[in-house]
Amino acid sequence: MADRAVTAPEPTGFAPPFRYFLRVRYGECDGQRVVYNGRYGDYVDIAAGEFLRVVWGDAVFGGGYDYQLVRQLIEWRASLRYDEIAQITVSPARVGTTSFMLAMDLRPLGAPKPCAAAETTYVLTTEGELAKCVIPDDLRRRLEAGAPGVVIDHAGGGLAQRPTVPAPPR
């Protein structure tokens, strides 16, 4: 399989994509105050969890389903630095029978271009046995609809706005 660039979609349409904000902490950085490369996986994982909490709610968090990472690709273009607020946008990139891919764009808040992009593929599993399972139609519709306009702010900057996410059509 040939390598290919990761490209998280730029925000399009009328509603901004789901956004997650976090503040870069001192312990996540090296001596030059640059975020260690391994921390980007942590940031992506946290953003994905918050996105899925909004999109799937109790179905995944205590409702019989779980998900597991099977592939992650991160492409770096620049660095996040100590005390910056990182903005991570999350969009569904592909939804298969048992797996789904989320595309993410990471950038300092207000930056015109991303410093990193990630593609992460997950498989849906049963909660107890962690056995791979088919994505039910209602979860598929909710995932495909995403969470446009929702902002989760763990940076403490008072940037969160959580509009009502419309229920997917049935």
Side-chain angles (χ1 to χ4, degrees), residues 23-36 39 43 81-83:
R23 185 173 302 276
V24 175
R25 297 173 298 182
Y26 179 79
E28 298 164 346
C29 299
D30 63 17
Q32 289 77 40
R33 300 169 74 130
V34 170
V35 172
Y36 289 113
R39 291 297 188 158
Y43 295 167
R81 298 178 149 295
Y82 170 67
D83 207 35

Side-chain angles (χ1 to χ4, degrees), residues 131-144:
K132 181 168 71 168
C133 62
V134 172
I135 300 171
D137 289 341
D138 64 321
L139 294 184
R140 173 182 304 281
R141 283 190 298 273
R142 289 159 61 183
L143 181 59
E144 289 171 345

Side-chain angles (χ1 to χ4, degrees), residues 13-80:
F14 298 107
F18 172 89
R19 292 177 295 158
Y20 173 71
F21 298 124
L22 65 83
R23 185 173 302 276
V24 175
R25 297 173 298 182
Y26 179 79
E28 298 164 346
C29 299
D30 63 17
Q32 289 77 40
R33 300 169 74 130
V34 170
V35 172
Y36 289 113
N37 64 350
R39 291 297 188 158
Y40 288 82
D42 294 339
Y43 295 167
V44 165
D45 184 56
I46 295 166
E50 293 301 324
F51 173 79
L52 292 171
R53 184 180 311 281
V54 170
V55 172
W56 281 345
D58 291 344
V60 171
F61 298 94
Y65 294 102
D66 204 343
Y67 59 96
Q68 295 200 333
L69 186 144
V70 294
R71 178 179 179 272
Q72 186 168 72
L73 182 62
I74 301 175
E75 181 179 285
W76 291 270
R77 298 180 182 111
S79 299
L80 288 168

